[in-house]
Amino acid sequence: MTRLAVLGAAQVSACGAGIGALAAGLERVPPKPEWVAISRSEDSPRAPVLRARPDGIDEVVPPRPVRRLDSFAKNFIYTAMLAVADSGRELPPPERIGVVTGTAYASLVTSFALLDDIIFEGDESGSPFKFTTAVNNASATSVATVLDARGPCLSVLGFQDILINVLRVASTWLDEDRADLVIAGAGDEFHPMVGYGLSHLGGWAEDGVMRPLDFSARTYV
C-alpha cells in the first residue's frame, strides 16, 4: 500500500484563504457566523452560516477559464491552485495528474437556481451553463480543466467519511500507478434547503458557537 505524502495543503473558509488564515482564525479571533433565513417568509428561522472568504482569488485564478463557473467550482479551483503553490514543486506531466474531490451536497445553489428557472420559466429556459456546473462531478472536472490534469478524475459524494474516502481513492490511484500526483480535496456550500433540513433534525447552535466536544447539545454551524 502506498504511503501518502502530502506535498502541499490549502483551504478556503470563513477564516479566509490559505493555511495561515485558518491558523490565525483558530488561534486568535474565530470568524463569526452570519444568520441566514431558511425560507422567504418574514418570520423565517435563521441558521448560523460560516461562508467561505476566497480572499485573493482574482490574483491566482485566471478569469477566462472560470468566467462561466459558479462560486462552488471556483473555490475548489482556488484551493487546488493554492495547494499546488504550497507544494513548491513542478507538476508531473498532465497525464499523470489525478483529481478527486468530495462533497455531501455538490453545487446546491446552482442546482436549485437551475430548477427554479425550469419550474417558473419552462423547460427551454434551463441554462446549459448552470446545468454543467450543477452536475455532481463539476468540482473535480473544473479543477482538472483549469490545471490541465488529464489523469483519473472523480467526485466522491456521501454524508459520512467524505475526506477519508477521497484519500482512499487517491491512495488507490497511486497504488495502481494511475497517477504520480493526486489533487484531493473536499467542500460544501450552504443553501437554505440545508437549513430547512437541519431545522427538522434538531436545529443548530442557538448562539452560533460550535462545541464539538459537547455531546449533549446540538451545536451545528
Side-chain angles (χ1 to χ4, degrees):
M1 181 112 180
T2 299
R3 202 170 195 181
L4 288 176
V6 178
L7 303 181
Q11 65 85 44
V12 175
S13 69
C15 294
I19 298 300
L22 177 63
L26 295 177
E27 295 173 359
R28 301 170 196 164
V29 182
K32 294 182 179 181
E34 58 180 287
W35 293 85
V36 180
I38 65 173
S39 72
R40 297 176 181 176
S41 63
E42 293 183 358
D43 59 346
S44 169
R46 295 182 178 273
V49 178
L50 290 169
R51 294 192 190 275
R53 288 175 34 225
D55 303 334
I57 186 171
D58 294 334
E59 301 172 6
V60 177
V61 178
R64 185 175 179 81
V66 303
R67 69 186 185 279
R68 298 189 186 278
L69 297 180
D70 59 10
S71 59
F72 186 64
K74 288 180 182 177
N75 280 332
F76 267 97
I77 294 168
Y78 185 32
T79 309
M81 296 183 74
L82 289 176
V84 170
D86 185 64
S87 73
R89 300 193 179 197
E90 291 187 7
L91 293 176
E95 294 77 11
R96 301 296 298 170
I97 303 173
V99 177
V100 54
T101 60
T103 173
Y105 304 105
S107 182
L108 275 183
V109 173
T110 302
S111 295
F112 277 98
L114 175 64
L115 291 175
D116 285 345
D117 290 345
I118 295 174
I119 292 171
F120 295 112
E121 303 295 336
D123 293 346
E124 295 181 356
S125 67
S127 166
F129 301 111
K130 288 181 181 178
F131 176 80
T132 55
T133 52
V135 296
N136 292 337
N137 202 37
S139 55
T141 55
S142 298
V143 171
T145 299
V146 174
L147 293 183
D148 193 30
R150 304 175 198 170
C153 180
L154 178 70
S155 287
V156 178
L157 278 81
F159 294 102
Q160 293 181 328
D161 302 328
I162 296 176
L163 186 56
I164 292 175
N165 289 329
V166 165
L167 295 177
R168 284 173 177 161
V169 171
S171 179
T172 299
W173 288 349
L174 295 171
D175 280 343
E176 297 177 351
D177 194 32
R178 298 179 65 188
D180 294 332
L181 180 143
V182 179
I183 298 172
D188 272 294
E189 65 180 350
F190 177 79
H191 184 276
M193 186 59 71
V194 176
Y196 179 81
L198 286 172
S199 69
H200 289 272
L201 291 174
W204 41 75
E206 293 297 333
D207 57 359
V209 178
M210 288 181 285
R211 299 180 181 86
L213 299 181
D214 184 358
F215 300 110
S216 64
R218 178 173 290 273
T219 63
Y220 186 92
V221 175

